[in-house]
Amino acid sequence: MMIVMKEDATKEQIDSIVKRVESTGAHAHVSEGELLTVIGAIGDRERIANLDLTGVDGVDRVVPITKPYKLASNEFKHGIPSVIEIDGRRVGGGNFSLMAGPCTVESREQLLTTAEAVKQGGASMLRGGAYKPRTSPYSFQGLGGEGLRLLREAKDQTGLPIVTELMDQRDLDQVLEVADVVQIGARSMQNYSLLAELGRAGRPVLLKRGLSATLEELLMAAEYILKEGNEDVILCERGIRTFETATRFTLDIMAVPVLKQMSHLPVVVDPSHAAGRRDLVLPLSLAAAAAGADGIIVEVHYNPETAICDGPQAVPADDFAEYAEQVQRVAAIVGNELSAL
Ligand code: PEP
Ligand code: MN
């Protein structure tokens, strides 16, 4: 249920509604807009309805949220897109983000060279994994703490905010020391205790869609983060499992406009993992930008032939500036402007 307060509602009136909502055992989520305050009451629907808040002092109207995802739903924000602030860059609401970098941090030279190239090409943020969710336990698992240290160095050198993956709750504090955006990989999308922990940590989260997750399941996963008070969630379509074997996964381009109908949260697209092939990364990126995505997260490597992980899908660092220019041009057509410093 959403309680929309009147524009001239006083703090006392807002506090009193919050208390009444909480008296039913529900959670009251207060969002203060420029003009008015909205209180999201999340809990037992009947008990909240029984409070009969319509007509109470300061209350303008009471609106039910019909979807199972509440805080993530468009109803909750009256259809106004959320804008997430990341170290001076903005994601969503007409701001287009290019998050670029290697699949995994391999070495100082690899990371710093690639980071410099994506910076020069206009990237908004640097991506790179220190903890890697590999299908085989015998594959390279990431540099761990050393990878995080190198990411810190790349951030100091380029000024680019860092997007890096967290897989295990035990690494949270270390990851928070360097991550401006914590990536939750497709395989962890339904690790609900990890999501709740990130909700409490308060750092922006890039939440990837599970390999076989529906859009509703993705939004329910986002809800775990939002429910703990962290409003900064970026959704990511990264390709899903279908019967098609010509590509690594199948990019669900419809996810972009459909998620935007369902939710106020920004939506970015990962063309690299969807395609698994470098030749498809540009066309998929252009399609994503044209579909209204709020950004792209793309793998870039200074020497893809030698990449330890995901080389075949990496855009060579030398080609990044040209790639970025083409993607930006299409994003601009649908009203999204690159957000970089
Ligand atoms: C990645 O971004 O490197 C990655 C492992 O992605 P996903 O979780 O989408 O497979
Ligand atoms: Mn990868």
Side-chain angles (χ1 to χ4, degrees):
M1 208 77 89
M2 250 169 44
I3 301 119
V4 183
M5 302 301 290
K6 290 186 173 148
E7 274 183 41
D8 59 2
T10 63
K11 190 178 172 321
E12 286 70 33
Q13 287 168 338
I14 294 168
D15 288 348
S16 140
I17 298 294
V18 168
K19 276 213 189 85
R20 289 177 71 172
V21 167
E22 287 175 346
S23 73
T24 68
H27 173 69
H29 188 283
V30 182
S31 50
E32 281 168 27
E34 262 170 45
L35 289 179
L36 44 82
T37 297
V38 175
I39 302 165
I42 315 289
D44 186 292
R45 224 180 141 143
E46 208 173 305
R47 289 188 70 187
I48 300 166
N50 284 343
L51 290 174
D52 207 7
L53 295 172
T54 308
V56 170
D57 285 351
V59 174
D60 183 48
R61 59 190 191 278
V62 179
V63 191
I65 302 177
T66 52
K67 303 289 189 300
Y69 42 92
K70 307 289 179 193
L71 304 170
S73 75
N74 246 334
E75 289 167 281
F76 184 67
K77 282 277 177 95
H78 317 274
I80 298 168
S82 285
V83 179
I84 297 175
E85 193 81 43
I86 296 157
D87 205 9
R89 285 83 170 164
R90 306 179 118 207
V91 185
N95 304 284
F96 192 82
S97 287
L98 261 178
M99 306 164 182
C103 175
T104 184
V105 179
E106 297 169 14
S107 68
R108 188 167 183 274
E109 187 203 359
Q110 171 248 15
L111 184 66
L112 296 185
T113 313
T114 309
E116 199 51 53
V118 301
K119 158 100 179 174
Q120 294 308 324
S124 325
M125 297 179 221
L126 176 66
R127 66 144 288 153
Y131 297 99
K132 296 303 301 177
R134 304 305 301 278
T135 303
S136 165
Y138 304 112
S139 301
F140 176 66
Q141 304 286 308
L143 289 182
E146 174 58 15
L148 294 175
R149 276 187 290 283
L150 292 171
L151 284 166
R152 153 73 55 194
E153 198 177 335
K155 180 176 172 172
D156 291 343
Q157 184 175 306
T158 60
L160 291 173
I162 302 294
V163 185
T164 196
E165 177 158 358
L166 173 73
M167 289 168 57
D168 189 320
Q169 223 152 298
R170 288 169 294 189
D171 301 319
L172 177 66
D173 290 342
Q174 264 207 87
V175 166
L176 287 179
E177 275 174 32
V178 63
D180 296 281
V181 178
V182 179
Q183 176 175 326
I184 291 295
R187 291 154 190 84
S188 302
M189 188 203 87
Q190 287 177 311
N191 183 340
Y192 298 125
S193 59
L194 187 62
L195 299 177
E197 199 63 47
L198 273 174
R200 292 185 283 272
R203 194 68 47 88
V205 177
L206 180 110
L207 178 63
K208 288 188 141 193
R209 181 183 185 181
L211 315 185
S212 305
T214 64
L215 296 180
E216 184 168 305
E217 286 163 345
L218 172 62
L219 291 176
M220 294 307 290
E223 194 78 11
Y224 271 89
I225 303 168
L226 300 166
K227 182 175 173 291
E228 298 302 323
N230 184 350
E231 298 183 2
D232 296 341
V233 179
I234 302 165
L235 305 169
C236 179
E237 161 59 34
R238 48 77 73 208
I240 51 173
R241 268 266 145 83
T242 67
F243 54 81
E244 184 53 71
T245 55
T247 50
R248 192 173 177 187
F249 291 92
T250 298
L251 184 68
D252 179 10
I253 200 76
M254 278 188 293
V256 177
V258 175
L259 281 172
K260 285 181 161 290
Q261 286 167 11
M262 296 166 89
S263 176
H264 54 88
L265 297 171
V267 181
V268 306
V269 166
D270 173 347
S272 311
H273 292 88
R277 285 166 37 183
R278 181 175 314 128
D279 61 322
L280 300 180
V281 169
L282 177 64
L284 293 185
S285 304
L286 298 180
D294 298 293
I296 304 275
I297 178 162
V298 62
E299 288 188 345
V300 179
H301 198 283
Y302 79 141
N303 185 4
E305 306 314 310
T306 65
I308 296 180
C309 178
D310 287 351
Q313 68 196 32
V315 172
D318 287 346
D319 298 350
F320 180 74
E322 168 67 21
Y323 161 87
E325 201 194 313
Q326 295 198 49
V327 177
Q328 271 175 72
R329 224 182 292 146
V330 174
I333 292 172
V334 300
N336 291 324
E337 290 296 333
L338 184 75
S339 182
L341 290 183

